Amino acid sequence: MTISCTGRTVNSRTMASDAATRFDLIVIGGGSGGLAGARRAAELGASAAVIESHRLGGTCVNVGCVPKKVMWNAAVHAEYLHDHSDYGFEVKHSHFHWGTLKSKRDAYIRRLNNIYRTNLDKAEIETIEGHASFTDDAEPTVEVNGKKYTAPHILIATGGRPTLQSDDQIPGASLGITSDGFFDLEELPKRSVIVGAGYIAVEMAGILSTLGSKTSLVIRQSAVLRNFDRMISANCTKEIENSGIELWRNTQVRSVRKSAGGLELTIVTKDPEKKSGGEEISTIEEVDCLLWAIGREPNTAGLNVDRMGIDTDERGHILVDEFQNTTRPGVYALGDVCGKALLTPVAIAAGRKLAHRLFEDKADSKMDYSTIPTVVFSHPPIGTIGLTEDEAIASRGKENVKTYTTAFTPMYHAMTSRKSQCIMKLVCVGLEEKVVGLHMQGLGCDEMLQGFAVAVKMGATKADFDRTVAIHPTSSEELVTMR
């Protein structure tokens, strides 16, 4: 059978039953992980197709890492503007134009979408536009827009989506937006409220506040980033307050309603010292941007994974083994849809490893999910890899764990009235003091982590760090001079 796709002709074999178009690999989801797996499979000689219902690139490119980093870069510029006079520059009449940045950002994203499409075409990977759902056929088969496609290997890489708060749970909740909606905003909100304590909430609040929106952050407990090392959690919470963001601790939104001046939020703050009672009701008025950042859910709606006998957890994440196998032979899953290590580079690596296992006979090719570095683009940024101090104690025993910490003011801020500390921690285990965790927050920590992550991944010890000559004057030298 000959079919046409994106202006080129592709020869594909068909099955006799139901005329399903056959490939060696079908990828459901054109995000980072799915695209990486498909392209690597094609490089290894496999015929591949990618099914995508929206824009290529997935969350990261369209409503995640990439546009977020553009907005964070803009916020960093705003911070530096405050410091110009401290460094002898006269800057007058600076004004931020949200619309200008949004237009350039959106154009950049469209270019990336086109690059992804071009790369698929060059690799002779077929792009199928639409929603996929598994059928009842004996061999794993999906249907898209009334047409069937089958392959001995089908990869689910559909990613995730922001968790939505329903009006049944909180009256008026639907008046708010999620991180997806943030990138649709046509102008800078004058008054913003972010609900959530995870990294997305922290990043969104920091961007909006630094660019000039009066911002509140509502969190259920007493600190943000509670899954991070407690030193990072405590310091980031302090930095948020120091930056001028209004932080509502131990607080939840009870209701949202429209008013003449914008949205009006009724919130309830509980005294954690009191087991019962101790509630205080407050109101936040004239809000023009309410953003829910309360978690993410897997994109499995309409896939009919249950029809395939594919097991999921209680939240709908697809369960896989260490080789990305689902409970249905020939069907695999990776990335955010699995709910583990929700990071773009992780999905990319997993997709490539899977392709080598399936099409290069590398039976042991699999993703190593241990010791993964990650950055939070807060203000200042956070870099972290490996075990937290509490995790190390839980796994190795308190007597076998030693930590090294430092806190200092970066040299950049010696000249500025605006101050921000840099904090660092090394978590070491055993007599050899192997470094199993590295956590830091401060100016430049986002860029300095990658190199140190190589050392930690290789099993470096504290002595290895000590033997490394410091680069002066830098903040990173503190990591090799701790005592």
Side-chain angles (χ1 to χ4, degrees):
M1 176 183 180
T2 301
I3 58 177
S4 177
C5 178
T6 64
R8 59 188 178 84
T9 300
V10 180
N11 291 314
S12 297
R13 293 169 295 164
T14 63
M15 295 175 61
S17 60
D18 297 327
T21 305
R22 176 181 286 276
F23 297 91
D24 296 326
L25 173 69
I26 292 174
V27 177
I28 307 173
S32 301
L35 292 173
R39 290 186 64 193
R40 186 57 53 90
E43 289 174 15
L44 296 171
S47 62
V50 171
I51 302 170
E52 175 56 56
S53 59
H54 299 292
R55 293 177 290 174
L56 290 172
T59 295
C60 178
V61 168
N62 295 295
V63 287
C65 339
V66 174
K68 180 271 304 288
K69 184 68 181 292
V70 171
M71 301 307 292
W72 184 81
N73 285 339
V76 170
H77 273 284
E79 289 181 310
Y80 284 155
L81 282 173
H82 292 296
D83 304 334
H84 280 175
S85 60
D86 291 322
Y87 274 92
F89 290 90
E90 259 188 59
V91 180
K92 296 180 180 178
H93 310 301
S94 60
H95 181 72
F96 173 61
H97 295 274
W98 178 283
T100 299
L101 178 61
K102 182 182 186 300
S103 178
K104 295 187 71 174
R105 185 198 72 208
D106 291 351
Y108 172 49
I109 300 306
R110 286 193 295 272
R111 289 198 301 273
L112 292 179
N113 295 147
N114 291 333
I115 288 170
Y116 278 116
R117 185 58 176 260
T118 299
N119 287 340
L120 290 178
D121 290 346
K122 286 180 179 178
E124 297 188 349
I125 297 169
E126 183 165 346
T127 304
I128 302 167
E129 297 180 3
H131 290 273
S133 60
F134 284 102
T135 68
D136 291 324
D137 293 79
E139 187 174 13
T141 302
V142 293
E143 185 174 311
V144 184
N145 301 325
K147 297 181 179 179
K148 288 186 176 183
Y149 304 88
T150 189
H153 306 291
I154 296 181
L155 171 60
I156 301 171
T158 48
R161 64 183 185 277
T163 299
L164 296 172
Q165 195 70 269
S166 73
D167 289 337
D168 291 336
Q169 296 167 309
I170 298 175
S174 61
L175 295 170
I177 63 174
T178 65
S179 56
D180 286 2
F182 170 81
F183 298 106
D184 291 328
L185 293 175
E186 295 293 339
E187 57 186 27
L188 175 68
K190 293 180 180 179
R191 183 73 172 94
S192 302
V193 176
I194 315 298
V195 183
Y199 77 93
I200 294 176
V202 167
E203 290 176 340
M204 294 289 102
I207 290 168
L208 285 165
S209 175
T210 306
L211 290 178
S213 179
K214 183 180 179 182
T215 304
S216 299
L217 182 61
V218 178
I219 62 177
R220 289 186 301 171
Q221 305 294 330
S222 60
V224 300
L225 303 179
R226 295 187 304 276
N227 292 331
F228 286 65
D229 189 273
R230 50 188 144 95
M231 181 187 76
I232 295 295
S233 174
N235 191 74
C236 187
T237 303
K238 181 186 73 173
E239 288 286 357
I240 285 171
E241 290 188 295
N242 290 346
S243 72
I245 294 173
E246 180 184 46
L247 184 62
W248 290 87
R249 288 182 168 92
N250 306 300
T251 301
Q252 297 189 59
V253 178
R254 175 169 286 182
S255 64
V256 184
R257 73 175 187 90
K258 281 185 178 180
S259 65
L263 299 181
E264 181 180 293
L265 279 63
T266 300
I267 58 176
V268 180
T269 303
K270 291 186 177 181
D271 185 342
E273 301 298 320
K274 297 180 179 179
K275 293 184 178 180
S276 61
E279 292 186 350
E280 182 177 335
I281 298 177
S282 307
T283 302
I284 304 177
E285 300 177 334
E286 299 183 345
V287 175
D288 48 1
C289 177
L290 166 62
L291 194 155
W292 301 101
I294 53 175
R296 293 182 66 79
E297 298 175 354
N299 271 330
T300 54
L303 271 178
N304 295 330
V305 293
D306 54 336
R307 180 182 289 173
M308 295 292 292
I310 296 172
D311 290 347
T312 60
D313 66 13
E314 64 279 0
R315 296 185 59 193
H317 295 111
I318 295 176
L319 299 177
V320 295
D321 64 13
E322 59 185 331
F323 291 98
Q324 312 301 149
N325 297 311
T326 69
T327 48
R328 173 67 183 261
V331 180
Y332 319 89
L334 56 78
D336 291 9
V337 75
C338 300
K340 182 179 182 181
L342 312 184
L343 299 166
T344 293
V346 172
I348 291 172
R352 290 172 178 165
K353 292 284 188 181
L354 178 63
H356 283 287
R357 182 168 73 84
L358 298 180
F359 302 108
E360 203 181 23
D361 296 326
K362 290 188 175 181
D364 295 327
S365 179
K366 62 180 180 178
M367 175 64 192
D368 179 4
Y369 284 91
S370 66
T371 320
I372 296 171
T374 187
V375 162
V376 179
F377 289 100
S378 50
H379 297 266
I382 292 166
T384 179
I385 180 173
L387 301 180
T388 67
E389 181 179 351
D390 290 339
E391 288 170 343
I393 290 173
S395 63
R396 298 297 295 270
K398 190 172 184 178
E399 68 280 5
N400 296 312
V401 176
K402 185 173 183 179
T403 62
Y404 296 85
T405 61
T406 186
F408 58 94
T409 300
M411 184 176 173
Y412 171 84
H413 286 301
M415 299 291 107
T416 65
S417 56
R418 179 178 68 93
K419 303 294 183 185
S420 180
Q421 270 201 326
C422 182
I423 61 165
M424 295 174 171
K425 175 188 283 189
L426 294 179
V427 180
C428 306
V429 299
L431 294 176
E432 74 279 19
E433 293 194 343
K434 179 181 177 181
V435 180
V436 296
L438 186 157
H439 313 280
M440 53 186 171
Q441 181 175 20
L443 190 65
C445 285
D446 52 329
E447 292 292 346
M448 71 177 76
L449 176 65
Q450 189 74 76
F452 283 101
V454 175
V456 175
K457 189 70 175 177
M458 292 178 68
T461 64
K462 180 63 168 61
D464 292 323
F465 275 58
D466 295 342
R467 280 193 292 267
T468 303
V469 175
I471 303 170
H472 183 75
T474 65
S475 292
S476 58
E477 69 180 299
E478 295 287 332
L479 285 168
V480 298
T481 58
M482 286 192 205
R483 299 185 65 181

